[in-house]
Amino acid sequence: MIYLLEDDASIRELITYTLNSQGLEALGFAKPSDFWAAMQEKLPSLILLDIMLPEEDGLHILKRLRSSSSTQRLPIIMLTAKGSEYDTVLGLDSGADDYIPKPFRMMELLSRIRALLRRTAEASARQEYHSGSLVVIPSRHLVQVNGQPVTLTLKEYDLLCLFLSEPGTVFTRSRLLDEIWGYTFDGESRTVDVHIRTLRQKLGDAGACIQTIRGIGYKWEEQTE
């Protein structure tokens, strides 16, 4: 089930109709209060979230979702008329897994939704990873540093697992966008850099293993005792 929170009736109806016609069950909500009521009944597999909303803005809703243990890892795609780099980075830095400025093409939206759902399912099937003080157990979606749990967004978690799956490999920003986001952004984007920065911060000492390769990208360098 996909939940869409969008106050524009024409956009809401178009998206829900398209998703349902493509075999992706979806429900649309015009107001945050209706959305929260539905969240109490059943959690979705993915959320499409507008920013400019009545009652409560989308960024505040995003932060509430990420602060709750039951929803902190739900895949969330932001939909908004705002298209500046600042707004993009703000949404991603607040925990969104993807960001699509309006107007957008429906086939692009479908592609991003399917890619995000696929990566979410694949993440749970990966092996355990150990690197110095860091332990990652995908089957339990568990990340620990020095025995203490670390809370990551889905994109941060996917980046970490990708690095750990190929330690020492240098990943270009372009490859990281393709591997994690499932598509390549048009033009310049700080998306990868924002996620790398927050991932490093959350991992504490273990974050030093993510090394910047100037002018190219990033790699994971195993911790040594």
Side-chain angles (χ1 to χ4, degrees):
M1 174 64 73
I2 295 173
Y3 284 175
L4 165 65
L5 181 51
E6 165 65 65
D7 64 329
D8 187 309
S10 60
I11 295 176
R12 185 174 65 254
E13 291 169 6
L14 174 61
I15 293 176
T16 54
Y17 172 80
T18 302
L19 292 179
N20 283 311
S21 68
Q22 294 295 313
L24 296 170
E25 188 178 3
L27 285 177
F29 306 94
K31 299 185 297 182
S33 55
D34 295 334
F35 167 78
W36 288 119
M39 290 290 289
Q40 295 297 317
E41 297 295 324
K42 179 181 179 180
L43 291 180
S45 56
L46 182 144
I47 295 172
L48 300 173
L49 180 61
D50 190 23
I51 286 185
M52 304 300 291
L53 293 165
E55 301 180 347
E56 185 180 10
D57 73 83
L59 288 175
H60 185 260
I61 292 172
L62 173 63
K63 291 176 181 178
R64 285 180 61 184
L65 290 168
R66 289 301 184 227
S67 66
S68 171
S69 60
S70 63
T71 58
Q72 62 186 8
R73 293 188 178 89
L74 273 178
I76 299 174
I77 298 177
M78 302 297 291
L79 306 176
T80 178
K82 295 185 176 181
S84 71
E85 182 181 60
Y86 172 79
D87 292 312
T88 301
V89 171
L90 181 60
L92 294 170
D93 210 15
S94 297
D97 297 296
D98 204 349
Y99 185 104
I100 305 180
K102 302 172 186 176
F104 50 81
R105 294 169 295 179
M106 287 305 304
M107 293 308 296
E108 179 184 12
L109 177 61
L110 284 168
S111 176
R112 295 196 192 184
I113 289 173
R114 286 172 172 150
L116 184 53
L117 289 173
R118 183 176 63 252
R119 290 192 302 276
T120 303
E122 290 172 350
S124 63
R126 294 175 182 145
Q127 61 182 356
E128 293 185 13
Y129 299 111
H130 298 263
S131 179
S133 61
L134 174 69
V135 176
V136 179
I137 306 177
S139 62
R140 297 168 53 194
H141 214 101
L142 175 68
V143 179
Q144 291 183 333
V145 175
N146 293 317
Q148 298 301 310
V150 177
T151 300
L152 302 178
T153 67
L154 182 61
K155 279 294 188 292
E156 292 164 352
Y157 176 81
D158 286 345
L159 278 168
L160 177 59
C161 286
L162 180 60
F163 283 132
L164 291 171
S165 69
E166 298 184 43
T169 297
V170 177
F171 291 91
T172 63
R173 289 174 176 81
S174 177
R175 181 181 173 187
L176 290 173
L177 285 170
D178 288 339
E179 293 272 0
I180 303 301
W181 281 263
Y183 65 98
T184 302
F185 280 116
D186 292 329
E188 296 295 323
S189 172
R190 292 180 53 209
T191 299
V192 172
D193 300 322
V194 167
H195 281 77
I196 293 294
R197 186 184 73 239
T198 57
L199 178 58
R200 279 173 171 157
Q201 292 172 345
K202 291 180 180 181
L203 292 179
D205 293 341
C209 292
I210 304 176
Q211 299 188 357
T212 301
I213 308 303
R214 189 173 298 276
I216 301 177
Y218 301 93
K219 72 172 182 177
W220 182 272
E221 192 65 37
E222 293 281 6
Q223 290 182 342
T224 58
E225 299 298 333

